Amino acid sequence: MSKKNLLLKIILPLIILVIGVIGFKSLTGLSTPPKKQAQPQRGLLVEVLTIATQPHQVTVHATGTVAPGMEISLVPEVSGKIDWLSPQLVTGGFFRKGEKLLEIDQRDYRLAVEQAQATLAQAEVALQTEEQQSKLALEEWQLLNMDDKGEPSPLVLRAPQLKKEKANLDAARAGLKKAQLNLQRTTLYAPFDCRIRTEQVDPGQYLRAGTAVATLAGTAQAEIKVPLPLSELQWLDIPRAGDTHTGSRATISLTSGSERLTWTGEIVRSAGEIDPASHMATIIVAVDTADGNRSTPQGQLDLSVGLFVDVALHGTHLPEVVSIPRSALRENDSVWLADLEDRLQIRPVHVLRREQDTLLIDEGLSAGERMILTTLDGAVTGLLLRPMAQEQTR
């Protein structure tokens, strides 16, 4: 290798490197480092809710089962073979008040009416005959020429016989009324608007008096049996025995497919018993199921017996109370507040009532205070905050 090549490959790169190092140090010596500035503490960003007190109506949410407002067993009062049977007298059949349900063979009962009419006619004739005999007996007694004969005795005037014939006439009239009543009882009518729940009757069947043949449930009104914890009863108006007023209003709802059906009702009474297993009381909500008391057009699902429905009971009106979200309550029934200096304060509160989504607070909070909704790890009193306001509580 020649000296010229050695100079180019070894010495020249070293010269370039030295020049670069000297230039870098010159440039860095001319620049001044930036001054460090202290960042202000802005606090943790939290969402707050301004407290407001206002009236509130307590709503008790529960579920219940639909039962008929009226239910009876259809029991014939006379015996006989069925002569006519309504085609609607089947399970699920509907009847208006006064519609004919069935008719028992009337021939024997018509004959009984005719026989009673004949017996009555005989009793009338017998009484008329006895009255004439009594009148003749009085005339004969008056023709007697006796001194100091006094007044005629009842036996002379045939008073016992006359009394007997009058009693026979009364019995004959009663017998006719009974025969006519039995004839009327051969036809059974719907005592109220009703639906047939069960039936055990067929055309031509022989019915015995006193034996139930069907069960009829009234359709004008339904009752909802609602079990409730004892602690919820204090918020509701439940009529007692002898009260003439209705109790708290109720909204009954049921989801059917994409539709939400609703009815209105009111508490009418308590069942008066406590379930020994669940320790719950049962109240009865009456619902008028007549046309118009529903949220959807007729022809859709009815409030049928046995349905399981949601019930909202509208109870006590509270004049001034604070309502807060359930998530805002912290450990040991306390809440977090942002004070005037945007510092965190922990304060215990008294929970008057726990509802589905909210809590009712009657002690510990004042209108205008800011309650923290954001969850913080390691929250301690005095922690600096940066509140972000939300709309007021309702």
Side-chain angles (χ1 to χ4, degrees):
M1 181 181 296
S2 66
K3 291 183 180 181
K4 186 177 179 180
N5 290 337
L6 180 64
L7 177 63
L8 292 175
K9 291 184 177 181
I10 298 177
I11 298 176
L12 184 59
L14 290 176
I15 294 172
I16 295 173
L17 180 61
V18 171
I19 294 172
V21 172
I22 294 173
F24 174 77
K25 288 184 176 182
S26 299
L27 292 175
T28 56
L30 295 175
S31 63
T32 57
K35 295 181 180 180
K36 294 183 178 180
Q37 296 182 353
Q39 294 292 334
Q41 294 184 0
R42 301 184 62 189
L44 296 176
L45 182 64
V46 292
E47 186 179 25
V48 297
L49 193 65
T50 303
I51 298 298
T53 60
Q54 58 185 12
H56 179 84
Q57 183 178 26
V58 173
T59 301
V60 177
H61 294 273
T63 55
T65 305
V66 180
M70 290 190 294
E71 183 174 287
I72 65 168
S73 295
L74 184 66
V75 179
E77 297 179 87
V78 295
S79 300
K81 187 178 70 173
I82 294 178
D83 193 46
W84 180 87
L85 184 66
S86 170
Q88 291 297 316
L89 190 54
V90 292
T91 301
F94 176 78
F95 287 89
R96 293 290 185 184
K97 180 179 180 180
E99 285 191 65
K100 186 190 292 189
L101 302 175
L102 61 85
E103 187 176 285
I104 295 173
D105 188 354
Q106 296 182 342
R107 289 175 295 179
D108 289 343
Y109 297 97
R110 292 186 184 279
L111 291 174
V113 170
E114 293 176 2
Q115 184 177 3
Q117 290 173 337
T119 302
L120 175 61
Q122 291 175 352
E124 289 174 340
V125 170
L127 177 60
Q128 292 173 358
T129 301
E130 192 58 47
E131 287 175 341
Q132 291 298 321
Q133 289 181 351
S134 176
K135 184 178 180 180
L136 290 174
L138 177 60
E139 291 176 353
E140 291 176 356
W141 182 85
Q142 290 175 341
L143 294 175
L144 292 176
N145 188 11
M146 297 175 59
D147 295 333
D148 193 20
K149 59 183 179 181
E151 295 294 330
S153 68
L155 292 176
V156 173
L157 300 180
R158 301 181 63 84
Q161 293 86 340
L162 186 61
K163 185 177 182 180
K164 177 183 177 182
E165 295 303 332
K166 288 182 178 179
N168 289 340
L169 179 60
D170 290 340
R173 287 172 175 166
L176 177 59
K177 289 181 179 179
K178 182 178 180 180
Q180 291 172 335
L181 184 59
N182 285 338
L183 178 60
Q184 293 175 2
R185 288 170 173 170
T186 58
T187 304
L188 277 66
Y189 300 93
F192 43 76
D193 292 352
C194 61
R195 192 176 298 278
I196 307 300
R197 292 198 65 188
T198 61
E199 55 83 18
Q200 309 87 32
V201 60
D202 294 295
Q205 180 179 342
Y206 185 87
L207 304 182
R208 295 189 179 278
T211 302
V213 297
T215 302
L216 280 57
T219 58
Q221 189 179 71
E223 291 186 347
I224 315 295
K225 296 181 179 180
V226 183
L228 290 175
L230 298 180
S231 59
E232 296 284 30
L233 302 184
Q234 62 178 314
W235 305 109
L236 303 173
D237 181 8
I238 304 174
R240 298 175 179 269
D243 290 348
T244 57
H245 72 283
T246 55
S248 300
R249 294 183 303 105
T251 300
I252 296 88
S253 56
L254 173 68
T255 300
S256 176
S258 60
E259 296 288 340
R260 185 70 171 174
L261 312 180
T262 60
W263 295 260
T264 58
E266 56 274 324
I267 298 175
V268 292
R269 66 183 184 278
S270 168
E273 297 181 358
I274 305 298
D275 190 309
S278 63
H279 301 289
M280 300 180 77
T282 299
I283 63 168
I284 308 299
V285 174
V287 182
D288 182 7
T289 52
D291 294 349
N293 184 23
R294 61 183 300 157
S295 63
T296 53
Q298 295 297 319
Q300 299 190 23
L301 186 64
D302 292 327
L303 197 59
S304 304
V305 174
L307 279 176
F308 195 64
V309 294
D310 296 321
V311 182
L313 303 168
H314 310 293
T316 304
H317 285 269
L318 301 174
E320 292 292 333
V321 71
V322 174
S323 176
I324 67 172
R326 275 181 169 266
S327 59
L329 189 68
R330 313 300 175 176
E331 293 182 355
N332 301 321
D333 283 352
S334 63
V335 297
W336 296 345
L337 300 174
D339 63 15
L340 297 177
E341 298 179 354
D342 291 340
R343 300 279 181 175
L344 186 145
Q345 300 294 330
I346 300 176
R347 183 184 300 172
V349 294
H350 180 261
V351 180
L352 179 64
R353 173 175 169 75
R354 300 173 188 266
E355 297 196 331
Q356 278 190 324
D357 302 316
T358 60
L359 302 174
L360 303 183
I361 309 298
D362 62 346
E363 294 180 9
L365 294 176
S366 300
E369 293 185 307
R370 297 176 299 170
M371 182 178 60
I372 300 170
L373 300 180
T374 306
T375 300
L376 302 174
D377 293 331
V380 294
T381 300
L383 182 66
L384 185 61
L385 305 171
R386 183 152 48 101
M388 180 178 63
Q390 195 191 57
E391 63 178 9
Q392 290 186 335
T393 56
R394 297 189 301 163

